[in-house]
Amino acid sequence: AGRRDGGGACGVRRSPKMGAEYLVAPDPHRSANRPSDSYYAKRAFLVAVVVAAVVCGVLLAAPRPVGEGGDAALAGSYYAVTKPPAFNFNRFIRHAWFYDGRSVAGDQEVFLEKMAKTHHYKLQIHKLRSFRDSEFRAALFSESIHCIVFPPLLKFPGISELAKKDFRGYISSGNNAVFIGSYEWLSVMNDVFGFQLMSDYKDGPYYRNDRNVRGTPFQWSMHRLEQPDGSVYGVKVNSIPMDGKCMFDTMGACVVFYVKYNLGTIVYIAFDYDTPYGADKWTQILHAGMMM
């Protein structure tokens, strides 16, 4: 029996008979089966990575509730993935301002109110009787009314610089203005919003631009508008701003268009609604314009 010194991976054995010492090879069972510290560190790192990946996957897959901001707006928006009926009565606007100042034609304003309430008897119309700074600002600051309809003009209204600024702010914040056909309103739009609209006229019928109406209430309107018995005050398509789109036109003359103005919209309908004859199709156009 010999004596083992060192007790490590390599030892020295002494012979009892000859007194000589010689090296002994390390024990493979003691060294190979013992994992190092770096091995445990790698295992811990891999486990941490797997756990983090699983947690991230669960969080991303979880359904998100609709919030108060943009998601809530999208959840209640008018547009749907599937095609709704031509006019969804349950989602038509409930309130609208109608300008009823001295500059408008009274008979046409009353007729426009009747057309707006056609099939939408729950619509509540509020009268805006002046562009004076105080009254106009009070109307624009209303939180429940997001649409203003301007009937045809008989003469130019007086609009102060403060009223113009408030009007631009009202549209920019996500509201809608609908101007009904008259050359005077084209001039007012150029003055207030900086447009360069140019009047034009072509005989109907007027055809829907399927590329531009997509994703708007005009998408569900008729494909063609017949020439009404009343007056039509069109504009040149090339004079519409870059952010605008023509909905109905013929031979370069546009009779229905809208312009995106920051978060809001400005709609123009060329027909002045001065006669009920041939105005039934144009009533749907009025509804679509108010729903923008």
Side-chain angles (χ1 to χ4, degrees), residues 75-80 84-95 118-123 287 291:
S77 62
Y78 166 75
Y79 312 113
F87 286 96
N88 192 325
F89 302 115
N90 295 327
R91 296 188 181 180
F92 191 70
I93 61 175
R94 296 297 182 90
H95 300 271
T118 302
H119 305 304
H120 301 290
Y121 64 92
K122 292 184 178 180
L123 173 66
H287 291 162
M291 295 165 69

Side-chain angles (χ1 to χ4, degrees), residues 14-42:
R14 182 183 300 273
S15 174
K17 294 182 179 181
M18 301 180 64
E21 295 182 353
Y22 54 93
L23 294 176
V24 179
D27 188 355
H29 298 286
R30 296 183 61 185
S31 60
N33 293 336
R34 182 179 180 181
S36 63
D37 294 338
S38 61
Y39 170 81
Y40 288 112
K42 292 180 181 179

Side-chain angles (χ1 to χ4, degrees), residues 131 136 159-161 163-169 171 179 185-195 261 266:
F131 277 110
F136 192 52
I159 306 178
S160 68
E161 292 301 322
K164 295 177 185 178
K165 182 179 179 180
D166 290 340
F167 197 9
R168 290 190 293 267
I171 302 299
F179 294 92
W185 279 133
L186 294 178
S187 297
V188 171
M189 293 164 67
N190 289 340
D191 182 35
V192 175
F193 301 104
F195 300 159
Y261 195 82
I266 302 168

Side-chain angles (χ1 to χ4, degrees), residues 9 15 19 22 40 55 68 97 133 150 167 198 281:
S15 174
Y22 54 93
Y40 288 112
V55 172
E68 297 293 337
W97 287 109
D133 294 345
F150 295 95
F167 197 9
M198 301 176 63
K281 302 298 182 182

